[in-house]
């Protein structure tokens, strides 16, 4: 299911994320819980940190914590009363496979990249005023996949694992059942379109990957991305419509004004070489991109960063961007001149969609966090999480906090842990200096339940990792030998900012999330803010 494609080097930093707030900064005060306490020294090079024996000197003074607590109380007291403001725009950010352990590790890495200890750092969305927890199990699964969870957080209904956009009455690979109108669901993208809003999807995976597909597809198998995939799973591709075809020809996909991601091959026949030099994957001979252009007067196809950034959004009706043949590359490996960052995709998407006076709904996914965790390469997962948090900061800066609701969440966790009492400031991708196993061998800070490398010698003893965990792409140790890491079943976080964000608190079913977004923006068929007196 996972294909590795790491062709390039050199990261690009989201300079855009440094842009000032577009909304005058007044409300920002109420919407931010930034911890101001930061270590006075740059401990990164301290031998005490290296030995796991560092305490920031200012933290030895209780007054440091009293002041910090006072600041945090004051910020909470300054929160405005829940307002009656309606969300004209809704931006949903989805960190695929981003458990709270990955969020905490990413914030530590963020601080450590700035030369600090890291634990005290904050991600952009952690400054949002309201947080909740999302229960992620699916109808037939204790631990879910990205398909049934996408159905929950975009269509508002829990279903079976591997299903997208159809109810739990549909069983695996059963096309007949998926075509029964009684089993087919609508997504918040369709609810938004029915209210006259613009819609779009953005992902770092493929446009036909499970998460973005929740916005438009109805399928009994998430793997049916193009007709060749349908056939390879034993279904009839002439009657069982693949997801790329659904996206281009059916409601609501055909009405999306923004579609950014990878997966160009799913839209082109095998006889055509795509913009990235690879052959298309379709067996039916259909060029879906030609078809899309025929259906979209003023629509434009872009396939690299320069093309994307040179689009004048006022002059096009819609944009489809397909930036790789398959998945997009990890940010850490990507050619910065060729593949746009998630922040760049986010900026163009918001600029285009915000032209609609009626507002918009856009789904934006950091889809490769999950891949980093599956590969048990936390350096990739955390770098992707940091790209994700930059895009969220940019989205908050580009939009008005009084009319744009931003909801950040994950679809499911991953079985990764931060464990074993490492000292303050210990490199998050490194080794815990404080503890050993029963044989006196030190162990990593980050460990996975399952994955390819157990790092055992021939007698089953753990190997020392000092020479192994040395690069950002190192494979972390795992307990159960498997080709890949596995998802986990604990709750994931929800972080919200903007109109009605106070509703995104407490422990909720994942399937409630789109209904809350619909309530806030007065769309869909359920309860709406606008229906209240
Ligand atoms: C597919 O679903 C239908 C119900 O829609 C059911 O009658 C049929 O037995 C299912 N087929 C398989 C192979 O499970
Ligand atoms: C984009 O197009 C609009 C409308 O044609 C035009 O007014 C504007 O100057 C263009 N912007 C740029 C940067 O070319
Ligand atoms: Zn996954």
């Amino acid at each position: 299911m996972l294909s590795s494609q790491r062709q390039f080097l050199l990261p690009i930093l989201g300079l855009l994320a440094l842009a000032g707030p577009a909304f005058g900064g007044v409300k920002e005060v109420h919407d931010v819980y930034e911890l101001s306490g930061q270590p006075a020294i740059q401990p990164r090079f301290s031998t005490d940190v290296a030995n796991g024996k560092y305490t920031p000197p200012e933290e030895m003074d209780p007054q440091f914590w009293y002041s910090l607590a006072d600041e945090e109380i004051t910020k909470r007291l300054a929160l405005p009363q829940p307002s009656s403001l309606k969300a004209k725009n809704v931006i949903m950010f989805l960190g695929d496979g981003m458990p709270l352990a990955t969020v905490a590790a990413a914030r530590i890495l963020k601080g450590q990249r700035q030369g600090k200890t890291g634990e005290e750092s904050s991600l952009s969305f952690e400054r949002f005023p309201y947080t909740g927890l999302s229960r992620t199990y699916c109808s037939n699964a204790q631990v879910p996949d990205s398909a049934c969870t996408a159905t929950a957080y975009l269509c508002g209904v829990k279903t079976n694992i591997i299903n997208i956009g159809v109810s739990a009455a549909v069983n695996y690979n059963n096309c007949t059942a998926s075509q029964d109108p009684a089993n087919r669901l609508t997504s918040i993208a369709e609810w938004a379109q029915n209210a006259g809003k613009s819609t779009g999807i953005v992902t770092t995976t493929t446009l036909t990957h499970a998460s973005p597909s929740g916005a438009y597809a109805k399928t009994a198998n998430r793997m049916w991305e193009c007709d060749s995939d349908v056939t390879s799973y034993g279904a009839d591709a002439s009657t069982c419509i693949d997801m790329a075809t659904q996206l281009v020809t059916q409601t609501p996909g055909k009405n999306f004004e923004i579609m950014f991601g990878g997966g160009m091959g799913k839209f082109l026949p095998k006889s055509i070489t795509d913009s990235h030099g690879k052959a298309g994957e379709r067996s039916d001979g259909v060029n879906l991109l030609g078809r899309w252009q025929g259906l979209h007067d003023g629509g434009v196809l872009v396939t690299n960063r320069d093309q994307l950034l040179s689009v004048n959004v006022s002059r096009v009706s819609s944009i489809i961007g397909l930036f790789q043949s398959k998945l997009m590359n990890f940010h850490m490996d990507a050619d910065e001149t060729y593949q746009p960052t998630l922040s760049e995709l986010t900026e163009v998407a918001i600029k285009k969609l915000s032209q609609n006076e009626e507002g918009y709904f856009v789904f934006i996914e950091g889809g490769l966090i999950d891949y980093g965790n599956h590969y048990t390469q936390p350096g990739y997962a955390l770098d992707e999480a940091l790209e994700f948090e930059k895009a969220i900061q940019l989205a908050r800066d580009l939009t008005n906090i009084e009319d744009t609701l931003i909801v950040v969440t994950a679809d499911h966790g991953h079985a990764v842990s931060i464990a074993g009492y490492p000292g303050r400031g210990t490199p998050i991708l490194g080794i815990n200096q404080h503890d050993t196993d029963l044989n006196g061998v030190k162990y990593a800070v980050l460990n996975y339940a399952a994955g390819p490398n157990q790092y055992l010698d021939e007698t089953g003893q753990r190997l020392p990792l000092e020479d192994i965990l040395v690069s950002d792409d190192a494979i972390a140790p795992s307990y159960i030998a498997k080709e890949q890491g596995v998802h986990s079943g604990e709750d994931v976080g929800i972080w919200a900012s903007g109109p009605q964000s106070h509703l995104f608190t407490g422990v909720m079913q994942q399937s409630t999330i789109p209904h809350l977004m619909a309530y806030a923006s007065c769309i869909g068929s359920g309860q709406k803010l606008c229906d209240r007196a």
Side-chain angles (χ1 to χ4, degrees), residues 96 146 370 374 412 414 487:
D96 197 311
S146 292
D370 184 60
H374 275 299
H412 55 74
H414 254 279
H487 297 173

Side-chain angles (χ1 to χ4, degrees), residues 137-160:
Y137 69 93
C138 285
S139 295
N140 66 348
Q142 198 167 65
V143 176
D145 77 331
S146 292
C148 61
T149 53
T151 309
Y153 63 72
L154 286 166
C155 300
V157 174
K158 290 207 183 200
T159 186
N160 296 327

